[in-house]
Amino acid sequence: MKTTRILYATRSMERVENIEKQGAVQVPPPKRSVGPFLIYYKKQLELMKSKGIVDKISTTVKKEIREKWMNLDEDSKLEYKKEACENSEKYANLSHNIPRKARKVSLYTRCAPNHVHLTVSNLNERQRFVLREMGFGSMLDLRSIQLNRDFCKWLVDHLDHNSCALDICGRRLPISTKDVEFILGVKSSGVDVSIVASAEEINHICQQHGVNVVGDIPINLLEGKLKEMKTLGKEFVGCFVLFVLGTLLCPTPKPYIKRSFISILLNIDEFKSLNWAKLVLDFLIRGVRKYKEKNRVGVSGCLLFLMVICRK
């Protein structure tokens, strides 16, 4: 796996984050107006301090001022209400002229390369050897990277899901399964990965691999099983592949992996000859299509791949 490309992507994210113009004048925002009771409270507190009645604010002092306010007639309260109204108008005029910060862009995703990095760091050498033999050695070399969600959103917005290409700064960058293989290190040839199985088959596989849950499979369940496992058999390989699919290769915005993905374990003996890159790319394109067409706030797919491919 080309880790240098991931380093380049990290530097690119830092440049995207640095959007403030040099020499911009920082204008302090006006203080919000407060209600009539708070105006009365502050004035009473200042008066009590100036007369030496109190030297610190206590619950008793607060209660005393509150009771005084409750006993005031409406005419006495009117001056405080008038002052509060004037302050509110001043705040409205000042805040209208001050440029507001742009709303922080957020994109929901469970793509977590740093999570994978932490998990594989706890595997023993024999487990690592088995995973390399199965074609997942690149996952062991993955570095800890925190996704920049603003940058990811920008990339998703510029991804044409119909033609499978990125449109960046007037340049069109086609994406293929070969790119997925080059960047993520998973195979881009061979038999397509099948995620089709009957409900009975899926339930049987879940029992075989100790994933006895109803519905979608929690990622933290798979992570916990990996931490406990010291074996090298099919249960370990299956658990690891499901974990990587749910956290990096084919994640959804939710902390689960779809239950249908358990059907992948039917072909566990053929993992080394399967076209994992096609699965990753197809899943990402479908996720972007749903994100755009259904106006969702979360996107499914490997966003790490998008961040690295943009540097190509």
Side-chain angles (χ1 to χ4, degrees):
M1 181 177 179
K2 301 295 184 180
T3 54
T4 52
R5 286 191 174 276
I6 298 178
L7 292 175
Y8 288 149
T10 306
R11 293 169 186 165
S12 177
M13 288 187 289
E14 292 173 354
R15 287 195 292 270
V16 171
E17 287 177 337
N18 187 21
I19 58 174
E20 294 185 358
K21 293 182 178 179
Q22 296 292 332
V25 178
Q26 299 296 323
V27 180
K31 292 184 178 180
R32 285 184 176 275
S33 57
V34 296
F37 167 69
L38 285 180
I39 295 175
Y40 173 81
Y41 172 83
K42 290 180 179 179
K43 288 184 177 181
Q44 285 295 311
L45 195 60
E46 290 174 359
L47 181 63
M48 294 171 76
K49 285 183 176 180
S50 64
K51 292 183 177 181
I53 300 175
V54 296
D55 55 355
K56 64 179 181 178
I57 303 173
S58 64
T59 305
T60 304
V61 172
K62 292 179 181 179
K63 185 178 180 181
E64 182 182 341
I65 296 176
R66 189 180 303 110
E67 288 177 352
K68 285 183 179 180
W69 172 259
M70 296 297 293
N71 294 327
L72 282 179
D73 56 60
E74 289 300 320
D75 290 339
S76 299
K77 290 181 179 179
L78 187 61
E79 65 172 292
Y80 300 103
K81 291 181 179 180
K82 183 178 179 181
E83 184 175 346
C85 184
E86 291 174 352
N87 291 341
S88 180
E89 291 178 359
K90 290 178 182 178
Y91 174 79
N93 293 331
L94 289 172
S95 61
H96 178 74
N97 296 323
I98 293 180
R100 300 181 183 275
K101 291 183 178 180
R103 183 181 66 86
K104 184 172 178 59
V105 179
S106 180
L107 185 71
Y108 289 97
T109 175
R110 290 285 172 172
C111 184
N114 55 341
H115 207 171
V116 178
H117 171 77
L118 290 174
T119 301
V120 300
S121 64
N122 294 322
L123 300 179
N124 60 49
E125 288 303 317
R126 292 192 301 166
Q127 289 173 327
R128 290 169 173 269
F129 176 79
V130 169
L131 293 176
R132 292 189 189 279
E133 287 295 302
M134 298 296 286
F136 288 94
S138 60
M139 299 297 102
L140 305 177
D141 300 326
L142 188 69
R143 294 192 178 187
S144 180
I145 300 173
Q146 187 71 36
L147 293 185
N148 183 311
R149 293 172 188 253
D150 288 352
F151 188 42
C152 287
K153 185 180 186 307
W154 184 83
L155 289 169
V156 169
D157 290 340
H158 288 76
L159 178 62
D160 186 346
H161 54 271
N162 293 315
S163 60
C164 195
L166 274 170
D167 294 316
I168 303 177
C169 302
R171 180 188 173 197
R172 193 167 184 79
L173 179 63
I175 300 174
S176 68
T177 55
K178 287 292 184 183
D179 296 314
V180 177
E181 180 180 29
F182 177 71
I183 291 172
L184 297 179
V186 293
K187 191 177 174 64
S188 65
S189 60
V191 182
D192 289 357
V193 179
S194 174
I195 52 175
V196 178
S198 65
E200 292 181 359
E201 287 177 317
I202 291 177
N203 290 334
H204 179 66
I205 300 170
C206 284
Q207 292 178 358
Q208 276 188 327
H209 290 266
V211 188
N212 299 316
V213 294
V214 178
D216 292 338
I217 305 168
I219 299 299
N220 58 6
L221 173 65
L222 299 171
E223 183 181 7
K225 287 176 66 64
L226 283 174
K227 287 182 179 179
E228 296 173 359
M229 284 184 182
K230 301 300 179 184
T231 59
L232 310 174
K234 292 183 179 181
E235 185 179 350
F236 162 70
V237 174
C239 186
F240 178 83
V241 170
L242 289 177
F243 171 76
V244 169
L245 288 172
T247 53
L248 179 67
L249 301 181
C250 299
T252 68
K254 299 179 181 180
Y256 304 91
I257 183 172
K258 293 184 177 181
R259 189 173 181 81
S260 58
F261 271 70
I262 201 77
S263 60
I264 291 175
L265 304 188
L266 282 171
N267 302 315
I268 197 167
D269 292 326
E270 303 172 6
F271 273 6
K272 194 171 183 178
S273 62
L274 297 180
N275 191 338
W276 295 101
K278 185 176 185 300
L279 174 68
V280 172
L281 186 57
D282 289 348
F283 193 85
L284 173 63
I285 295 301
R286 284 197 302 270
V288 173
R289 179 181 289 109
K290 289 181 180 179
Y291 169 79
K292 292 183 177 180
E293 294 180 353
K294 298 185 178 181
N295 196 27
R296 294 181 174 178
V297 294
V299 63
S300 299
C302 184
L303 298 184
L304 174 68
F305 167 70
L306 279 186
M307 291 199 316
V308 181
I309 192 66
C310 75
R311 293 292 303 174
K312 183 179 178 181

